[in-house]
């Protein structure tokens, strides 16, 4: 068994209205930051997981996302995974 | 027929169970408040999942609650045709559990909304059978994540199968097509964001929710008559 570091990125499904991002998009111009578009607000979930190899770890994390970490009805997710002693690229 | 027994599941963070239990009693039922680790629902004739913040609504509303030990037992009852109602957080939990389609996300405008809200009855269901289509009601809402969201094909199915039960008259939270409540295809599982139990008797200043809860108790009696003893 090896330990893998995982970063799960959860973001709103494209096309689903993102009220928090809409609020940010309204607030930024008010502060004088112009030219900002396509804001999205999601979540980053990080953890370590034990598994036989990186493929089985990835499959397990994918299942975690399907069941709990993301709601596929309104969210998409992506998974970054690497052996725990190497750094995972965010 | 003996009184009907309504299970009211309580998760850590649920806060409307006493109001729902009071309303169930008011309309002739026996309220049985059950903790979320209960798996035996023998003798239960209907379920009302009350509002609150189950498991703190961490991650997403209802995301953790849906894995509580009581949920498979509730789903089993729903497959027998037993009426299941989710109010507010209960609606969110039923969506996360895939017992109802779609999801509830943050209100447009990013505000927690606590106010009386106009509703219109769209179709007959376990909470609207006593109300004709087009009936206007005023019922309180109290939520941050009440913005009903679903993809186009889910929405087309809701319309095609007449599963939209209630619409807001003045969409306060950005819900798709002003949806305030829906039911499943079989029409025995219903979720709505407004709180009929908070408007169920004159002393509360509003009794518009009474006919909804009486409808639910009717549905429970019909389901008991349809089920093998």
């Amino acid at each position: 068994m090896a330990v893998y570091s995982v970063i799960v990125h959860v973001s709103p499904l494209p096309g689903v209205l993102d009220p928090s991002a809409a609020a940010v998009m309204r607030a930024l111009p008010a502060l004088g930051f112009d030219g900002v578009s396509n804001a999205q607000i999601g979540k980053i979930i990080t953890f370590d997981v034990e598994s036989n190899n990186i493929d089985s770890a990835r499959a397990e994390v994918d299942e975690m996302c399907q069941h709990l970490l993301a709601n596929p009805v309104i969210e998409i997710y992506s998974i970054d995974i690497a052996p725990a002693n190497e750094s995972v690229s965010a | 027929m003996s009184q009907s027994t309504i299970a009211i599941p309580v998760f850590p963070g649920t806060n409307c169970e006493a109001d729902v239990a009071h309303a169930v009693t008011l309309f002739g039922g026996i309220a049985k408040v059950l903790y979320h680790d209960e798996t035996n629902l023998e003798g239960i004739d209907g379920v009302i999942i009350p509002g609150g913040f189950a498991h703190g609504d961490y991650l997403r509303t209802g995301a953790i609650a849906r894995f509580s030990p009581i949920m498979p037992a509730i789903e089993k009852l729903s497959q027998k045709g037993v009426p299941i109602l989710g109010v507010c957080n209960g609606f969110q939990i039923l969506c996360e559990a895939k017992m109802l389609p779609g999801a509830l996300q943050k209100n447009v405008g990013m505000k927690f909304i606590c106010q009386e809200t106009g509703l219109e009855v769209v179709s007959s269901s376990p909470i609207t059978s006593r109300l004709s289509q087009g009936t206007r009601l005023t019922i309180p809402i109290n939520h941050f994540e009440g913005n009903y969201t679903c993809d186009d094909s889910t929405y087309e199915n809701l319309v095609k199968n007449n599963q939209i039960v209630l619409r807001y008259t003045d969409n306060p939270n950005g819900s798709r097509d002003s949806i305030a409540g829906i039911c499943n295809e079989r029409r025995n599982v219903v979720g709505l964001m407004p709180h009929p139990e908070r408007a169920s008797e004159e002393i509360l200043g509003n009794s518009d929710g009474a006919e909804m809860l009486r409808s639910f108790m009717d549905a429970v009696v019909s389901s008991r008559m349809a089920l093998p003893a």
Side-chain angles (χ1 to χ4, degrees):
Chain A
M1 292 289 258
V3 177
Y4 297 92
S5 294
V6 178
I7 302 178
V8 175
H9 303 257
V10 181
S11 23
L13 196 68
V16 168
L17 182 74
D18 178 356
S20 0
V24 165
M25 295 281 284
R26 279 194 306 275
L28 287 173
L31 295 171
F33 298 103
D34 293 320
V36 179
S37 57
N38 295 323
Q40 268 204 334
I41 296 183
K43 289 174 215 161
I44 292 180
I45 303 165
T46 62
F47 54 92
D48 293 344
V49 66
E50 268 185 31
S51 200
N52 288 329
N53 57 57
I54 196 160
D55 291 332
S56 61
R58 187 181 292 280
E60 203 182 336
V61 173
D62 191 70
E63 210 170 311
M64 292 178 197
C65 290
Q66 290 283 342
H67 278 89
L68 176 67
L69 300 180
N71 179 352
V73 174
I74 47 170
E75 294 169 330
I76 50 168
Y77 61 87
S78 62
I79 298 164
D80 289 321
I81 190 163
N85 50 359
E86 293 171 26
S87 64
V88 187
S89 63
Chain B
M1 188 179 266
S2 59
Q3 279 178 291
S4 301
T5 304
I6 308 300
I8 303 167
V10 169
F11 306 86
T14 297
N15 59 19
C16 296
E17 71 276 17
D19 306 52
V20 170
H22 175 76
V24 164
T25 311
L26 196 64
F27 299 112
I30 297 169
K32 200 165 174 188
V33 175
L34 296 174
Y35 206 49
H36 66 120
D37 58 359
E38 182 60 69
T39 53
N40 177 9
L41 296 185
E42 220 170 296
I44 296 301
D45 305 309
V47 178
I48 303 181
I49 307 180
F53 302 87
H55 293 272
D57 279 344
Y58 294 130
L59 199 60
R60 295 179 308 279
T61 58
I64 315 274
R66 98 172 245 226
F67 294 105
S68 294
I70 200 169
M71 290 306 292
I74 292 175
E75 187 157 14
K76 218 169 178 183
L77 283 183
S78 85
Q79 284 159 1
K80 286 190 201 165
V82 169
I84 314 285
L85 170 62
V87 176
C88 196
N89 196 216
F91 184 13
Q92 295 161 340
I93 293 168
L94 288 173
C95 286
E96 278 283 340
K98 309 275 187 292
M99 289 169 68
L100 288 173
L104 284 312
Q105 66 150 334
K106 293 182 186 82
N107 297 338
V108 162
M110 295 297 286
K111 282 202 171 69
F112 189 99
I113 309 172
C114 179
Q115 65 186 39
E116 302 248 294
T117 301
L119 296 178
E120 187 177 317
V121 174
V122 182
S123 66
S124 186
S125 74
I127 56 162
T128 48
S129 58
R130 285 182 178 231
L131 300 157
S132 51
Q133 199 182 326
T135 304
R136 297 282 181 112
L137 302 164
T138 303
I139 305 282
I141 57 168
N142 186 59
H143 60 245
F144 184 56
E145 277 115 339
N147 177 355
Y148 183 79
T149 306
C150 63
D151 62 24
D152 292 345
S153 71
T154 304
Y155 173 73
E156 281 156 24
N157 274 328
L158 286 177
V159 172
K160 190 181 75 191
N161 302 321
N162 220 9
Q163 284 170 257
I164 301 171
V165 171
L166 294 160
R167 279 201 188 94
Y168 300 109
T169 52
D170 185 20
N171 195 356
N173 54 24
S175 290
R176 182 160 194 171
D177 196 17
S178 299
I179 289 172
I182 57 169
C183 64
N184 62 347
E185 270 188 55
R186 190 172 173 175
R187 308 196 83 78
N188 66 315
V189 179
V190 187
L192 79 165
M193 288 313 296
H195 285 270
E197 80 281 5
R198 294 189 188 178
S200 54
E201 52 187 325
E202 288 300 332
I203 197 170
L204 298 174
N206 178 358
S207 55
D208 277 10
E211 287 298 89
M212 294 167 89
L213 294 163
R214 283 195 193 101
S215 297
F216 184 76
M217 296 309 293
D218 288 351
V220 169
V221 170
S222 310
S223 133
R224 285 176 72 189
M225 293 197 295
L227 281 170

